[in-house]
Amino acid sequence: MADQSSVTDGIHYHQHDVVIVGAGGAGMRAAIESAPKASTAVITKLYPTRSHTGAAQGGMAAALANVEEDSNEWHTYDTVKGGDYLTDQDSAEILTREAIDAVYDLENMGLPFNRTPEGKIDQRRFGGHTRDHGKAPVRRACYAADRTGHMILQTLYQNCVKHGVQFFNEFYVLDLVMAEIDGVKRVSGVVAYELATGEIHVFQGKSVIFATGGFGKIYKTTSNAHTLTGDGVGIVWRKGLPLEDMEFYQFHPTGLAGLGILLTEGARGEGAILRNASGERFMERYAPTIKDLAPRDIVARSMVQEVLDGRGAGPHKDYVYLDCTHLGAEVLETKLPDITEFARTYLGVDPVTERVPVYPTAHYAMGGIPTNNDAEVLADNETVVPGLYAAGECACVSVHGANRLGTNSLLDINVFGKRAGNNAVAYAQTADFVDLPADAADGVVKLLAQLREGTGTENVAEIRKALQETMDRNAQVFRTDETLQTALADIAVLRTRYPNVRIHDRGRRFNTDLLEAVELGFLLDLAEIVVVSAINRKESRGAHMRDDYPTRDDENYMQHTMAYRTAGDIGLPQEIRLDWKPVRFTHYEPQERKY
Amino acid sequence: MAATQITDNDTTPEPVDSAAEAADRQVQAADAIEEPQSFPVTVIVRRYDPEIDDEPRWVDYDVQMFATERILDALHRIKWEQDPSLAFRRSCAHGVCGSDAMRINGKNRLACKALVKDFDTSKPIYVEAIKGLPLEKDLIVDMEPFFDSFREIQPFLQATGKPEKERHQTIAQRERFDDTTKCILCAACTTSCPVFWTDGQYFGPAAIVNAHRFIFDSRDEASQVRLDILNDREGVWRCRTTFNCTDACPRGIQVTKAIAEVKQAMMTGVKL
Ligand SMILES: Cc1cc2nc3c(=O)[nH]c(=O)nc-3n(C[C@H](O)[C@H](O)[C@H](O)COP(=O)(O)OP(=O)(O)OC[C@H]3O[C@@H](n4cnc5c(N)ncnc54)[C@H](O)[C@@H]3O)c2cc1C
Ligand code: SF4
Ligand code: FES
């Protein structure tokens, strides 16, 4: 086992067999597999329990059939159909098959799931999860009140404590070190910035797992944390590795209007109903069979359509209502206590007696770092980067296709987090360390110096706000070539302003001013890829709804987008090359998607 | 409102019409409210950067706020529009990650759950770091001692045997420790505790809350080990039941009650 550290020229060097970047659900699930078998370091910009997995509310899908008949195969079908047939079907089969053990693993580790009267794990309904290929909603989501993500994050952290996992808390990974050996790009380690001291640390690892979560902060109205700035995805991108399906960004139907704070779909799973200004249950018109429990892309679109057609509620007619009033105080207080409190605290609305104003909120990245089913990162459609893994929201396997089903992400982080951990250890047990180049830390040192010593007058917060506003306006639920071109032009201008940002905090300790500037750089890169990929996909599929191309076009677009960076250092225009990657099919022929 | 049809597939309960109509009226009344106005608020923050300052200093900031905004929004406005060097932790912004516990007008709160309208804004709002943990910079403290106490109580399920599926637990058994599973480790309780201020060795309420979560979990077999740990000189007996912790907890956990139950369990054994 390797586990060493030293300091040279003011830079700290560490060596671990497995280096995991990120301590959310995916990162810690991986660590639980790897730490008992190999020297493992988990590097995280947040204290593990602050990770956004903890914000997840509604549940984790698995066909346990604890409360009614269910099967993996139904779950696979729903996942494929929910993803508008862009889901890789072999990957979805793995996801739903391993779901069962993933839930039992968590329970065995201590997760306090809600229980059935017989003492088994209870299950609830969720959007798009159905009995026998779409016949009716099925109870598949395992849950712990409406804090399932909190309980997953706590349970995984508790088990990391049990296994003595070594964490580097509040260390920001800013670069990936790779070396080319015999013409093959291999991973050598990562470079991190320690928030408390401003010092640079190089972590050499035989294998490296990225588990850095999503990038909701490219949007203004989002359910995502301030810290979800897509650093890991951006780092991999800047290394010349591709990103997959970036145009598919999910908007969750029920964000608190104006704020974006999430109210779980589990509320509708328990029976809550969406209504427009006149009180009509409008989902009956859009999805006659499963209504409010249609998948998110469909519900979000229907809500926006209601508002566009003048049926929105409120002084500006710009939201609809989530009606929980018929559920009763008992259900709300015991099964949905947190969201009940969110509505009370942040909108001053009591869901027990009042309808809650809601509107879609930017929620989840279906796209990200392409991996195969073993969580190995891909350098193109097939070639793996030896030693490099990705799992969780930052990765794209793709199990979610064009639209993720609710409760399938908490599942994803557990199934593919575990796979990443196991495979990273197996690799580390046979591979050698790849020598660190002498200039391993140079990229980060230069990036930070450039930002820190900048003498410009631009303000980080202003550029970020402008980015988020154009993304909300132009690359949201409905898109057209025109709106997307507007976003692209806006981003180009913001990119030229970015190198002139001024960092006011010149200190070394807890310099969050500096880090926010670094994070903004990732946001700008990623937003542009989202928009460029969206312009290129001239069809509507899943979460990507093009008003100018309103139908799905399987002939031309039944394939994943692969984006490659061909140029674009800080302040320079990015050059993005787009390519395609075939979808993997097993049993399911693409069909029109009706609910 | 449009008539709704109940089909075979429809498993969703429908509200009776009269209730829906009443809700409608209520909602329309709410809709008539005029546009909210922002107003100036003075926020006074205790700043400290050991690279520059010999000791902490209070700095005034005037910010334009809406009543429904969070104190976290005020801090962001200061950081993003006036002084980007202001340092504080935050992530989720809606009270679930535990990053931003701080002392606001002398009371521990999460900045993201404290709304402007909860304060008398004719007076300044004072914001400072939580007390009892080493101050690092501005509103940031060293959290390691806090997490050390947490880790010491063996905060993980200890159960022998590997069941084939899930371990069973009745609804009532699950309910027994529900309250203490809500903890987000924000430290608001521990750093509001006068015993902890004077004796940093005291485990503190948060560690006891997390011990409670396992002691009363019917699946766990190591309750006695944790009770022994907390029976220590720096354990539960130091609690003087001042209820500061319960008042401070942003998750509404009955912290003092949990501590009392742990004390009780030491004397009479664990009742699950
Ligand atoms: C409000 C909300 C509710 C949700 N509810 C559900 C639900 O009910 N069911 C469901 O299935 N899904 C749900 N989701 C989605 C799901 O929670 C997330 O997709 C999932 O938790 C992501 O987990 P993760 O481990 O990939 O990332 P995260 O939990 O976001 O963790 C990311 C980690 O990466 C670290 N990190 C990031 N950048 C760096 C860096 N530069 N250096 C070092 N470390 C870094 C962070 O510190 C953090 O530890 C919800 C999401 C939200 C926002
Ligand atoms: S018990 Fe409450 S106040 Fe204490 S750490 Fe947990 S959530 Fe915070
Ligand atoms: S920012 Fe997460 S609890 Fe306040």
Side-chain angles (χ1 to χ4, degrees), chain A residues 46-47 49-50 52 54-55 66 104-105 107-121 125 135-137 144 147 150-151 154 157-158 161-162 169-170 225-227 259 261 271 273 275 277-281 284 289 291 314-316 319 321 323 326-327 338 341-342 345-346 353-355 459 461 464 504-505 507-513 516, chain B residues 1-5 7 9-15 20 23-24 26-28 31 35 49-51 70 72 76 79-80 84-99 112-113 115 117 136-137 140 143-144 147 150-151 155-157 162-171 174 177-178 181-186 213-214 217 219 250-251:
Chain A
L46 300 173
Y47 270 84
T49 56
R50 316 290 185 224
H52 211 54
N66 274 2
Y104 292 146
D105 277 357
E107 195 285 335
N108 292 174
M109 284 187 224
L111 199 147
F113 283 109
N114 276 44
R115 300 289 170 156
T116 66
E118 308 80 61
K120 296 197 270 186
I121 294 170
R125 298 188 186 94
K135 297 233 163 63
R147 53 175 190 281
H150 164 76
M151 293 311 343
Q154 295 289 327
Y157 181 61
Q158 289 156 3
V161 171
K162 177 176 166 184
N169 295 329
E170 302 193 318
H226 285 287
T227 47
L259 288 168
I261 296 173
I273 288 169
R275 298 183 185 279
S278 64
E280 184 203 4
R281 182 182 187 181
E284 291 186 318
T289 308
K291 306 184 179 75
H316 304 289
Y319 53 73
Y321 293 117
D323 184 356
H326 52 292
L327 300 183
D338 282 2
E341 198 203 321
F342 297 155
T345 305
Y346 297 107
T353 54
E354 296 167 88
R355 298 174 179 179
N459 176 305
R464 186 175 50 218
H504 295 256
D505 190 340
R508 307 238 143 229
R509 299 167 54 81
F510 292 95
N511 192 337
T512 50
D513 188 21
E516 282 193 26
Chain B
M1 73 171 259
T4 47
Q5 264 181 5
T7 66
N9 291 327
D10 191 348
T11 42
T12 314
E14 277 286 295
D24 250 0
Q26 204 178 8
V27 147
Q28 266 147 26
D31 289 351
E35 288 294 302
D49 180 352
E51 286 179 281
R70 302 158 260 210
L72 180 63
H76 273 145
K79 183 173 180 65
W80 293 343
S85 71
L86 177 65
F88 53 92
R89 294 189 176 104
R90 69 6 180 188
S91 185
C92 72
H94 66 284
V96 297
C97 77
S99 295
C112 65
K113 273 190 95 173
L115 302 194
K117 67 176 157 87
E136 294 280 353
K137 180 177 175 182
I140 296 179
M143 294 295 292
E144 279 309 317
F147 278 100
F150 166 76
R151 285 186 286 257
F156 39 84
L157 188 79
K162 171 101 180 84
E164 204 177 302
K165 296 182 171 181
E166 71 262 59
R167 289 194 171 83
H168 283 208
Q169 185 166 56
T170 66
I171 292 172
R174 160 76 177 67
F177 64 104
D178 180 71
T181 65
K182 294 178 189 157
C183 176
I184 53 174
L185 296 168
C186 69
R213 179 251 170 273
F214 289 101
D217 185 335
R219 300 168 298 174
R251 300 287 291 144

